[in-house]
Amino acid sequence: MNLSNLKPAVGSTKNSKRIGRGTGSGRGGTSTRGHKGAGSRSGHKTKIGFEGGQMPLQRRVPKVGFKPINRTEYVGVNLDVLQALAEKHSLTTIDFAALQAHGLASKNDLVKILGRGEVKAKLEITAHAFSATAQKAIEAAGGSIVKL
């Protein structure tokens, strides 16, 4: 067996419909385009989403939500994740490099520390932003925060 005698599986391919090859072919005359109208003319293209004059789906469905163009998006890291990280690797300071090294953030991310869970260890945490509950929990455990 070589490349010259490979064939597709039987029944997996079909011949394309040959249109416009005379009236005897069954697809001559108007060549499956119907009579008159824009669709029968050469070069006719319909707009994407055009539904024949019916109100298109994208205009029937109500508009929802708003995203400001200059928003800042943060990657959220919760306190329970930080506590588990500190216990597993016996860390006392958690900075952006540590979060990056353990796969919690990538180099262009902004990190926000969120307040789910609790911190038992005394940690010095460095991040771009902190929620109010996270800040209270860290300081109550004797830790400190540093904003980048």
Side-chain angles (χ1 to χ4, degrees):
M1 178 183 282
N2 58 24
L3 291 175
S4 66
N5 58 14
L6 288 177
K7 290 182 180 175
V10 178
S12 68
T13 60
K14 287 183 176 181
N15 294 334
S16 60
K17 291 182 180 180
R18 291 182 42 135
I19 60 172
R21 294 294 180 271
T23 52
S25 70
R27 295 193 194 91
T30 58
S31 299
T32 72
R33 289 170 175 258
H35 295 280
K36 299 183 184 175
S40 70
R41 316 282 186 217
S42 67
H44 171 67
K45 293 185 183 117
T46 53
K47 207 184 224 181
I48 292 172
F50 182 67
E51 298 183 18
Q54 173 177 300
M55 188 62 69
L57 179 70
Q58 118 228 16
R59 291 187 61 199
R60 289 198 303 266
V61 175
K63 289 190 259 184
V64 172
F66 172 76
K67 277 194 175 179
I69 198 164
N70 56 354
R71 68 191 177 275
T72 55
E73 286 193 6
Y74 293 99
V75 172
V77 179
N78 280 294
L79 292 177
D80 54 357
V81 175
L82 292 179
Q83 179 64 33
L85 187 71
E87 287 173 3
K88 187 176 180 184
H89 300 286
S90 62
L91 301 173
T92 55
T93 60
I94 297 175
D95 57 350
F96 185 70
L99 294 172
Q100 210 173 337
H102 297 293
L104 295 172
S106 59
K107 68 177 183 177
N108 295 324
D109 287 338
L110 298 176
V111 176
K112 183 170 185 175
I113 307 301
L114 304 174
R116 186 189 72 202
E118 58 182 278
V119 177
K120 296 171 189 128
K122 183 180 174 183
L123 297 173
E124 185 184 329
I125 301 171
T126 305
H128 297 96
F130 293 84
S131 70
T133 53
Q135 190 171 345
K136 285 178 190 169
I138 293 164
E139 289 169 351
S144 62
I145 65 163
V146 179
K147 289 188 181 178
L148 292 175

